[in-house]
Amino acid sequence: MSFPLNPEQQEAVHSTKGPLLIIAGAGSGKTRVITQRVVHLLKQGLDPRNILALTFTNKAAKEMRERIGEDIGGKQARGLTLLTFHSFGMQILQHNAKLLGYSSGFSIYDTVDGMSCLKESAAELKWSADFNTLKQAQSVISRIKTERSDWDEESLPFKALYEEYHRHLKAYNAFDFDDLICKPVRLWAEHPEVLERCRQRYQCVMVDEFQDTSIMQYRMLRQLVSVHRNICCVGDDDQSIYSWRGANFENIRLFETDFPERKEIRLERNYRSTETILDAANAVIRHNQYRKDKNLRPAEESKPEKQDSLIICHFPETDEDEARFVCDTIRKLRSLERVKYDEIGILVRTNGLMRTLESHLLEARMPYVVSGGQSFFQRAEIKDLIAYLRVLQNPDDDVSLLRIINKPNRRIGPKSVEKLRSLAHIRSWSIYETMRDMVMNKDARHPELAESCADFVMLLEELRPQFMSAPSPEVSLSALTKSLIEEIDYWDFLLQQFAERPEGAKRRFDTMQSFCEMLKRWEGYEGRTERTLKSWLARISLITRDDLDDEAEGKISLSTIHAAKGLEFDLVLLCGVEEGLLPHFRSQEEHAYDEEEERRLFYVAVTRAKRWLYLTSCGSRTKNGKQVECQASPFLDEIPTRLTGAEHELSEEDSENMLEQALANLPWLRDSEQD
DNA sequence: GAGTTCTACTTTTTT
DNA sequence: AGTAGAACTC
C-alpha cells in the first residue's frame, strides 16, 4: 500500500475548505485518504484541537489514530478529537449534564439494561406486557430516537411507555445508546451557547463510513458545521449494511442538497482485489437499483505478478461437510500458495453458523479468532461486576442496583425488592437511598427488611469513598476492584450457581480476573490523563464488541460479515450462501429496500477478498438442533459464470506439491519462519 | 426466600 | 443444543 496517492486521492487530501463528499468504493484506499487528509491539515498548521474526526467503531478510531501517529508522530496529533459518534455524544453530555438535569457520573444502558428499565416502566403503567411486546416497544422507541420514523399508528400506542421510560432513565441518571446522539442534538438546539462553543472549537469535521449515519447523526453534523461548512464525509452507499440500526444511506443525497457547493470525489480504483473478484462484485451490486452508479476497477499499478484465480463455488451436503471443506481448503492454500493464517477470513451471515466451523478448526488445530458475537462486556459476570462499579459511581442507578442486590444471596428476594420499590416510589427516592435511609435510621417499621439490607448498604458505604478517591499513589482501581470481588465472595456465588460444572465457574471467574487486568493496563497507560472510576466506566460502556483484538496475529479470522467490514484477506471463505440466510429470511418480509441491503452484505463479503474467494452453500444444515433443507442463494447466480469454477478434486500434481511443501515445512528442515 | 424442574425459544446484523 | 425464565416444591 505504499503507492503514491493517485490523482483522485491527491485531490481529496488537498481539498480542505468547504464541504467535500468522497465516494470511496471498497478497497480504494479510503482510510489512507482520511488519515493523509488529517496529516495534511496538521502540516498546514491547523491546531489539532480544531479537528474532529468521527467513526462508527472503536476499532476504526483506534486504527486511524495509529496511522496518523505513524505518519506525523503522536505528539503532533495530540489534542485531535478522534472518536466514535457515540463517544463524542457522551463527551458532550458529560460536559453539560447539569443542563439536562443529570449529573456527570451518569450510567449508559445497553440494550439489556434498557430492557429492564423498560420493563419497570411498563409495570409502573400497570401494563402487563409480554416480552415480545416490550421488544417491539424497544425498537419503536429506538426508531423514534434515531428519527427513522415519526409517531404513527404503529408507534403511538407506545407513546405513554416512551415517556415513562425516559422518566425512569432520568431518575436513574442514565442514558441509553440512542440518547448519546439525540440528547446532544436537543441540547444544542436549546442551548445555543453550547453549540457555539463546539462550532468554535471544531473548525474542521471529518466523517468516516458516512453511509452508516442515522438521520439524527446527520442532524448533529449539520448543526455543527452549518456555519463554517468545513465537512468532509467519506462513504460508500454500496457498503451500507446497518440500516436496521438506523443507518440511512440517503444521507449521501441529503448531503448533496444541503451542501450544494460541495466538491465530490470518487475513488474507484481498487488496490485490493484481483480483477475476477472485482468483476464479480460489480456484477452483483449492479442489481441494486437505489445506488450511486459506480464501477470498481483495478488500479493500474496493482501487481501483475499475481495470477487471477477463479471464484470457487462449492456445494457441500451438510454444514459439517462445509466446515471440513473450509479446513481442507485452508490447508491446501497454505501449502500450495503459502497463504498465511492471518490472511484468511471465514465469513458468515449469522453468529449461529460459527459453532460448527469453530469445532472443526479446533479439531484441525488451526489457530483462529472470532470477531463479532457476544462481547466480553455482555457476559453476565462482567455485567455484574460493572453493575457494582456503576452503583458506586451512580447510586441512583436502580437498574444496576437491582441487578446485584441479591448477588450473591443476601436474602433480598423479589418480595423485598417489591417492598423497597414501593417505598422508594412513595418518596421519589432511588432504591439505594431508600435502603440507606432504612438502615441508617434503624427504621422500626420494616425491621427484617432493614436487617437484610444492612450488610449490602454498609458494604457500599464503605467502598464508595475508596473508589471515589482512587486512584491514589497507594491504591489503584484495579486493586480495589479485585478486593471488591473478594469482598462479595463472587467465587463462592459462582460455585453455588455452577454446582454441577465447576469449570464453568472457573471460566467465569477468570473472565472477571481479565477484566481487572484490562483495567490495570488501562490505568497503567502513561498517556492517560484521567484514571477515575468515572472515566473507566465511560470508556467501557461504549465497547460492545471486543475491539481489543490483541492477538489476531497469525490467526484465521472467523467473523460475521458485518464485523468484517473494513477488513481484507488474501483468502475469503464465505459460508452459508443460502436462501434464507443470505438474503436472510427476516429481511424478505419487510421493505423492498431490504433485499438490496442483503445484496450489499454479499457485496461487502465478496470485496473483502484479495486473491481467492470461496463460496459455499449447503444442501442441508443443522439449525437449532434440527436438520433443515437449504437452497443456494439467488445472489450466486448474479456472478457471471465465466468467473466461477467448481472445486475440483486435488490433482495428482497438487497432492505431490502439497506433500513437498509439507516436507519442506517440517521444523528441522525449515529455514524461514512463516506465520 | 431458595432450590428444583420444566418449558420455550433463540440470534441477523451492533453502537 | 443450550439457556433463560416460569412454575413448582421445600
Side-chain angles (χ1 to χ4, degrees), chain A residues 259-325:
Chain A
F259 299 92
E261 80 276 29
R262 81 198 175 277
K263 181 181 262 186
E264 189 169 318
I265 296 172
R266 282 158 181 262
L267 305 178
E268 293 176 308
R269 298 193 207 196
N270 178 291
Y271 292 86
R272 182 185 291 156
S273 311
T274 61
E275 202 162 349
T276 304
I277 290 166
L278 290 182
D279 286 351
N282 283 324
V284 166
I285 202 65
R286 242 196 322 271
H287 286 83
N288 272 8
Q289 189 186 343
Y290 302 97
R291 62 184 287 260
K292 285 178 89 77
D293 196 38
K294 64 177 108 50
N295 216 23
L296 293 178
R297 54 177 202 280
E300 299 80 21
E301 309 89 310
S302 58
K303 56 278 161 169
E305 85 275 10
K306 294 186 180 176
Q307 91 291 357
D308 241 7
S309 312
L310 289 178
I311 296 167
I312 306 297
C313 299
H314 184 66
F315 301 91
E317 280 298 307
T318 66
D319 48 340
E320 294 282 329
D321 295 336
E322 179 180 56
R324 229 165 280 136
F325 172 76

Side-chain angles (χ1 to χ4, degrees), chain A residues 100-340:
Chain A
L100 289 162
Y102 276 74
S103 76
S104 70
F106 54 75
S107 303
I108 289 164
Y109 285 175
D110 66 15
T111 329
V112 177
D113 302 323
M115 184 49 86
S116 358
C117 185
L118 198 60
K119 219 176 192 166
E120 285 167 33
S121 315
E124 192 81 23
L125 295 175
K126 308 272 185 292
W127 281 30
S128 50
D130 62 289
F131 188 68
N132 281 330
T133 318
L134 285 174
K135 270 245 128 91
Q136 194 195 347
Q138 197 175 35
S139 95
V140 163
I141 290 173
S142 174
R143 271 201 322 254
I144 298 283
K145 296 218 276 193
T146 50
E147 283 213 344
R148 261 174 292 171
S149 63
D150 207 345
W151 294 106
D152 56 22
E153 340 55 281
E154 197 215 336
S155 52
L156 214 52
F158 295 112
K159 196 159 183 192
L161 183 58
Y162 172 95
E163 276 149 15
E164 187 63 30
Y165 170 68
H166 286 101
R167 262 197 294 284
H168 279 244
L169 280 180
K170 187 164 181 193
Y172 303 160
N173 197 29
F175 291 110
D176 67 15
F177 279 145
D178 296 323
D179 284 332
L180 298 178
I181 309 298
C182 70
K183 294 288 196 241
V185 168
R186 172 140 28 114
L187 181 84
W188 280 349
E190 289 169 2
H191 299 271
E193 74 284 1
V194 178
L195 172 59
E196 197 44 45
R197 274 203 303 277
C198 284
R199 280 178 175 164
Q200 292 287 339
R201 163 140 189 205
Y202 300 114
Q203 292 292 318
C204 190
V205 178
M206 302 185 63
V207 185
D208 189 19
E209 306 282 12
F210 183 56
Q211 75 283 350
D212 288 338
T213 47
S214 66
I215 299 187
M216 194 54 90
Q217 284 163 335
Y218 181 67
R219 282 184 51 184
M220 189 182 204
L221 290 171
R222 208 173 42 190
Q223 273 178 314
L224 188 59
V225 305
S226 62
V227 177
H228 57 63
R229 302 173 86 79
N230 290 322
I231 178 167
C232 166
C233 296
V234 187
D236 179 4
D237 49 346
D238 289 336
Q239 293 186 68
S240 167
I241 53 176
Y242 284 109
S243 69
W244 47 271
R245 69 157 201 227
N248 175 52
F249 66 86
E250 302 258 328
N251 282 350
I252 293 180
R253 228 152 297 155
L254 284 178
F255 185 87
E256 290 170 345
T257 20
D258 287 333
F259 299 92
E261 80 276 29
R262 81 198 175 277
K263 181 181 262 186
E264 189 169 318
I265 296 172
R266 282 158 181 262
L267 305 178
E268 293 176 308
R269 298 193 207 196
N270 178 291
Y271 292 86
R272 182 185 291 156
S273 311
T274 61
E275 202 162 349
T276 304
I277 290 166
L278 290 182
D279 286 351
N282 283 324
V284 166
I285 202 65
R286 242 196 322 271
H287 286 83
N288 272 8
Q289 189 186 343
Y290 302 97
R291 62 184 287 260
K292 285 178 89 77
D293 196 38
K294 64 177 108 50
N295 216 23
L296 293 178
R297 54 177 202 280
E300 299 80 21
E301 309 89 310
S302 58
K303 56 278 161 169
E305 85 275 10
K306 294 186 180 176
Q307 91 291 357
D308 241 7
S309 312
L310 289 178
I311 296 167
I312 306 297
C313 299
H314 184 66
F315 301 91
E317 280 298 307
T318 66
D319 48 340
E320 294 282 329
D321 295 336
E322 179 180 56
R324 229 165 280 136
F325 172 76
V326 165
C327 292
D328 290 345
T329 305
I330 291 172
R331 214 173 282 126
K332 190 177 100 186
L333 286 194
R334 260 173 65 77
S335 175
L336 294 180
E337 306 279 358
R338 324 231 86 205
V339 179
K340 302 199 169 171

Side-chain angles (χ1 to χ4, degrees), chain A residues 4-15 33:
Chain A
L5 295 173
N6 67 38
E8 303 91 81
Q9 293 176 327
Q10 290 262 3
E11 194 185 1
V13 167
H14 291 106
S15 306
V33 166

